[in-house]
Amino acid sequence: MMMMHEERLMVHEAVRWATDYLLKASAHLPQALYVHVTNSGDPIADHKCWVRPQDMEMEMEAATPSTVYKITPSDPGSDVAAETAAALAASSLLFKDPAGSDHYSNALLHAAEKAFHFANSYRDGLQWAAAWLYRATKNSSYLQCAISTAVEDDCDTFSWDNKLPGTRILLSQYSFGANGGDKSTARFNEEAKRWTYVQDDATNLQYVTASTFLFTVYAKYLKTSKQTFSCGSTVITPSLLRRHAKRQNKLHTW
């Protein structure tokens, strides 16, 4: 038990390194949000830089220098504001546990709501942020925003620039429960089911790792609610999803 407590503290320390930065970057909302991007806007060049963040400037200087940009009401960037809101809201839940700090958790959530309202003024990339803010606050207005900004798209990859699969799985949990759960979230559960058997064949480790995580989370939701579903003649159970996640290789259709 002591080891688990110590490991949890290390997780908090690692996450706080990022959330401290996000709190500073969002301190001037709603007037400004500061974001760090490459000057070239080229993610390929950015991904070729395999060094620690603190060493990145020297390695990237020639090919793709990094700069801090200021997002404002007159120069908006609602997608990055929404991503900031999602990260802060999700992290606020982590710091609510016994090893965390309610004061810090509340600060994260307050900043998340400010970032969300900033993003909401320009209506782009909101669903991921709305889903996490609903998870953190249980404020139904965030759920309604997530529903109203939903799109019809069977995307197969959960990645840095596509959060649809993660959003759907996160929201699917509310469709379970007594009397069939919240009927307004049923569509997200159906989309989550489809995602589990429509997979990209990309071998990049980030996609495999992200998919493994989502399989594990969805398996947890199914187990908690004592649910299964069918894919053709195969009954998909929580244990089957967990076994699939543990393989951590190419994800194919069953």
Side-chain angles (χ1 to χ4, degrees), residues 84-148:
T84 300
L88 289 166
S91 300
S92 76
L93 294 167
L94 173 68
F95 288 97
K96 269 189 176 299
D97 73 22
S101 163
D102 280 345
H103 176 74
Y104 190 67
S105 175
N106 291 337
L108 294 175
L109 186 56
H110 180 62
E113 292 187 299
K114 289 198 297 182
F116 177 83
H117 292 306
F118 180 85
N120 195 29
S121 299
Y122 306 99
R123 310 293 296 176
D124 185 25
L126 293 175
Q127 192 185 40
W128 179 236
W132 273 113
L133 277 161
Y134 179 62
R135 173 74 174 78
T137 67
K138 297 300 186 291
N139 184 327
S140 61
S141 67
Y142 292 121
L143 177 59
Q144 292 308 310
C145 180
I147 293 171
S148 67

Side-chain angles (χ1 to χ4, degrees), residues 131-233:
W132 273 113
L133 277 161
Y134 179 62
R135 173 74 174 78
T137 67
K138 297 300 186 291
N139 184 327
S140 61
S141 67
Y142 292 121
L143 177 59
Q144 292 308 310
C145 180
I147 293 171
S148 67
T149 55
V151 296
E152 299 289 344
D153 182 8
D154 279 336
C155 62
D156 51 20
T157 302
F158 180 55
S159 65
W160 62 275
D161 62 346
N162 189 345
K163 299 301 192 300
L164 282 177
T167 302
R168 291 161 176 173
I169 286 180
L170 179 61
L171 293 171
S172 73
Q173 64 184 298
Y174 304 110
S175 68
F176 303 130
N179 302 316
D182 186 336
K183 299 294 193 298
S184 69
T185 61
R187 63 168 293 177
F188 299 114
N189 188 36
E190 293 304 312
E191 290 167 334
K193 291 177 185 177
R194 291 200 299 270
W195 176 83
T196 64
Y197 51 82
V198 180
Q199 288 293 305
D200 193 359
D201 62 356
T203 57
N204 189 312
L205 186 59
Q206 67 170 308
Y207 302 129
V208 178
T209 303
S211 296
T212 296
F213 172 70
L214 291 188
F215 275 120
T216 304
V217 171
Y218 193 50
K220 176 183 176 182
Y221 293 162
L222 291 176
K223 183 178 181 180
T224 300
S225 59
K226 298 181 172 57
Q227 299 282 325
T228 63
F229 64 95
S230 296
C231 175
S233 60

